[in-house]
Amino acid sequence: MSGHNVWTHKGTFLLAAVGSAVGLGNLWRFPYLTGENGGGAFILIYALTIFAVGIPILIAETMLGRTSRRSPIMGMRHLIKTHKTSRAWESIGWLGAASAFLILSFYSVIAGWALHYTWLMLTGSLVGADAQTISDGFNALLASPGLMTLYHTLFIAASALIVGMGIHKGIESGLRIMMPALFVILIVVLIYGIINGDVGAAASFLFTFNISDLSLEGWLQAMGQSFFTLSLGMGAIMAYGAYMSSEASLTRTAIAVAFVDTAVAMVAGLAIFSLVFGAGLETGQGPGLMFVTLPLAFAEMPFGALVGGVFFILVLGAAISSSISLIEPVAAFLVERFDMTRPQAVTIMVVAAWAMGLLTVLSFNVWAEGTIFHSLFGRSAFEFIELLTNIFMPLGGLMIALFAGWALTQSEVIKELGTNATWFKIWRFLVRFVGPAAVSFVFLRTIPQVEGYLIPTLGALIIVAAFAIGQRLRQPKTSS
Ligand code: PHE
């Protein structure tokens, strides 16, 4: 498609990619996973994966978007044609669209909880409440499909509105207001944590590396988390990359995104654990860390209601700047492929993801047990969807790495990357070998843990991938 849109400013891609990367993954998932997995060792694996695997794949995914200047599925089609490689690679686009749709469905439900807590905090409802009251409150929220559906609807509608207004008036302007505000709030919460909490205990929890603390399961979660937090392998970054200025540096931008994303996770971890330790609470609370433990810490501290309210606004803002990046790749595809208007395309994607989200809502109450998901997969619908995305994202990342490193004409790649030969070789070694090896390791360890029909599903996906690679290897070598 000629005349494809480009962001208004050279730096907007960076802003948009940071907006996508920084989200519930940093503020909710990272702290609770770190808490469950004993701290520093988990962070070490997480950071290593980000740098050795995440950044190279981030560069690759952005590059695919920018050279094709199309939405992920159409972009893959275009690259397959121009680089004369196997059509099987188109599955990268489809897998991405499926992951975006699945993630959006549950992401919106969880972000909806933050909406509830923003309200509770700002109205002072939790001031002075004790542990029992606060945890009963959270359980009451989970037990109410109506309330959860209401918040889920509000959140997803707000995201749809932004994307529906277009990449300039909606996404770009929205991010330009939201992102600076989020950084200010994060710093305020950190300072509050330092003053009222125990930052020393938090720092030693986060930065004491004792590798023997880390279970194998924790190791896998750390690697999965690094994909999730960088928004990798599902087209969000590719879709934003399609609008990236040709002048911006791919490598420098990708490194900056990973750096900011990691810094936000660390600062959030430091602030949250300062409050948790300061209030004498436990770190290993799981997903309830943000919704039970943290409100409890705020309940006892001076100005806790106000700062807690501001904190949950931060969570909401970070979540919405990520959820818009989940809508964009699919919406852009529908616009390009079927000539829909943007509002039509956004509506289709969002209504479908909203309906799918009801499965997550019900997984916490009416369908908490005894459903078809429990009998087939041994878990609730929500847990099943989350598991699927935990498989799809690294798989997408793996295929992007292989596609960029092996299938594309390498003389074109080096031109697009615009680096010198040494950096190019380092990058290519990482996407050709290190990334695929790391991801395969995660998969091999995950497979024995999944039961039932999942293994055939996985098998099918792996066959598709193998087919794609085989196709490429049968072809005469282009330049390399
Ligand atoms: N990176 C986001 C977060 O950390 C989640 C996300 C994943 C967003 C994939 C878009 C695509 O919350």
Side-chain angles (χ1 to χ4, degrees):
M1 192 171 81
S2 60
H4 193 91
N5 267 318
V6 175
W7 300 116
T8 315
H9 298 279
K10 190 175 154 192
T12 303
F13 172 79
L14 176 63
L15 186 73
V18 167
S20 173
V22 172
L24 294 175
N26 307 59
L27 303 173
W28 167 67
R29 210 166 181 241
F30 170 77
Y32 93 70
L33 287 178
T34 307
E36 279 183 333
N37 289 293
F42 177 86
I43 294 188
L44 186 64
I45 301 303
Y46 165 84
L48 281 178
T49 314
I50 296 230
F51 283 91
V53 183
I55 291 179
I57 296 182
L58 191 57
I59 293 173
E61 189 170 338
T62 314
M63 178 191 68
L64 296 185
R66 194 171 74 173
T67 67
S68 69
R69 291 252 176 255
R70 284 164 172 79
S71 66
I73 295 170
M74 303 305 277
M76 287 308 299
R77 276 190 199 166
H78 175 74
L79 292 174
I80 286 164
K81 242 187 267 149
T82 49
H83 291 252
K84 301 192 182 56
T85 178
S86 162
R87 284 214 51 188
W89 290 112
E90 200 181 305
S91 50
I92 293 180
W94 292 102
L95 194 66
S99 312
F101 170 71
L102 292 174
I103 295 177
L104 180 62
S105 79
F106 72 78
Y107 205 81
S108 168
V109 175
I110 298 188
W113 299 349
L115 204 53
H116 181 68
Y117 277 85
T118 309
W119 173 253
L120 287 185
M121 284 287 167
L122 291 180
T123 52
S125 315
L126 298 180
V127 176
D130 61 10
Q132 195 58 44
T133 315
I134 289 181
S135 93
D136 289 350
F138 184 56
N139 291 333
L141 171 66
L142 296 186
S144 165
L147 206 53
M148 277 216 276
T149 303
L150 171 70
Y151 292 127
H152 165 51
T153 310
L154 290 175
F155 181 85
I156 211 166
S159 313
L161 208 64
I162 296 178
V163 185
M165 292 202 304
I167 68 163
H168 300 299
K169 282 214 197 90
I171 300 179
E172 219 171 346
S173 321
L175 290 171
R176 210 156 323 122
I177 302 168
M178 247 178 337
M179 298 310 289
L182 296 184
F183 288 110
V184 173
I185 295 179
L186 186 63
I187 299 302
V188 169
V189 174
L190 176 66
I191 294 173
Y192 180 83
I194 293 174
I195 296 174
N196 293 289
D198 187 346
V199 71
S204 75
F205 177 68
L206 292 176
F207 304 119
T208 310
F209 305 114
N210 188 355
I211 227 40
S212 63
D213 288 349
L214 195 62
S215 63
L216 192 73
E217 178 65 23
W219 192 296
L220 301 178
Q221 284 183 339
M223 295 184 71
Q225 170 64 8
S226 56
F227 274 86
F228 186 80
T229 192
L230 290 179
S231 304
L232 282 184
M234 38 119 336
I237 293 296
M238 213 190 289
Y240 279 174
Y243 312 131
M244 184 184 188
S245 149
S246 311
E247 271 117 68
S249 156
L250 278 175
T251 43
R252 249 178 287 148
T253 308
I255 291 170
V257 172
F259 184 81
V260 175
D261 183 67
T262 307
V264 169
M266 298 299 158
V267 171
L270 210 54
I272 290 172
F273 287 114
S274 294
L275 294 171
V276 168
F277 285 120
L281 302 170
E282 289 293 315
T283 57
Q285 296 298 307
L289 182 70
M290 176 184 282
F291 298 105
V292 178
T293 313
L294 207 54
L296 185 55
F298 280 124
E300 295 167 357
M301 290 177 184
F303 306 108
L306 180 63
V307 180
V310 168
F311 172 81
F312 280 104
I313 290 175
L314 166 70
V315 175
L316 275 177
I320 213 163
S321 66
S322 298
S323 66
I324 57 180
S325 77
L326 290 161
I327 300 174
E328 179 60 25
V330 179
F333 167 69
L334 295 175
V335 170
E336 263 171 47
R337 175 70 182 75
F338 301 106
D339 250 333
M340 289 183 189
T341 64
R342 180 167 270 269
Q344 282 170 338
V346 169
T347 307
I348 291 180
M349 163 68 168
V350 164
V351 168
W354 175 84
M356 183 84 181
L358 297 180
L359 280 182
T360 292
V361 167
L362 296 171
S363 295
F364 289 95
N365 34 69
V366 185
W367 289 348
E369 47 204 37
T371 67
I372 182 160
F373 289 95
H374 291 89
S375 43
L376 288 182
F377 309 114
R379 58 193 83 224
S380 69
F382 162 63
E383 287 163 334
F384 178 69
I385 293 170
E386 215 203 356
L387 179 69
L388 272 188
T389 59
N390 279 342
I391 295 171
F392 285 1
M393 289 189 78
L395 190 64
L398 168 70
M399 289 172 60
I400 286 170
L402 293 173
F403 182 68
W406 295 100
L408 288 182
T409 315
Q410 297 295 305
S411 55
E412 295 294 319
V413 172
I414 190 167
K415 253 190 258 156
E416 184 69 36
L417 282 186
T419 55
N420 64 35
T422 316
W423 280 114
F424 172 69
K425 284 208 182 104
I426 296 175
W427 170 80
R428 198 172 61 174
F429 178 74
L430 292 170
V431 291
R432 278 190 166 177
F433 302 106
V434 178
V439 177
S440 308
F441 165 76
V442 176
F443 276 139
L444 290 178
R445 293 301 322 178
T446 319
I447 290 168
Q449 296 165 23
V450 291
E451 317 102 68
Y453 287 74
L454 213 57
I455 293 188
T457 316
L458 246 181
L461 289 171
I462 289 171
I463 290 167
V464 172
F467 170 73
I469 297 161
Q471 278 280 335
R472 165 65 194 167
L473 296 183
R474 266 199 282 132
Q475 250 177 244
K477 239 180 147 184
T478 33
S479 73
S480 166

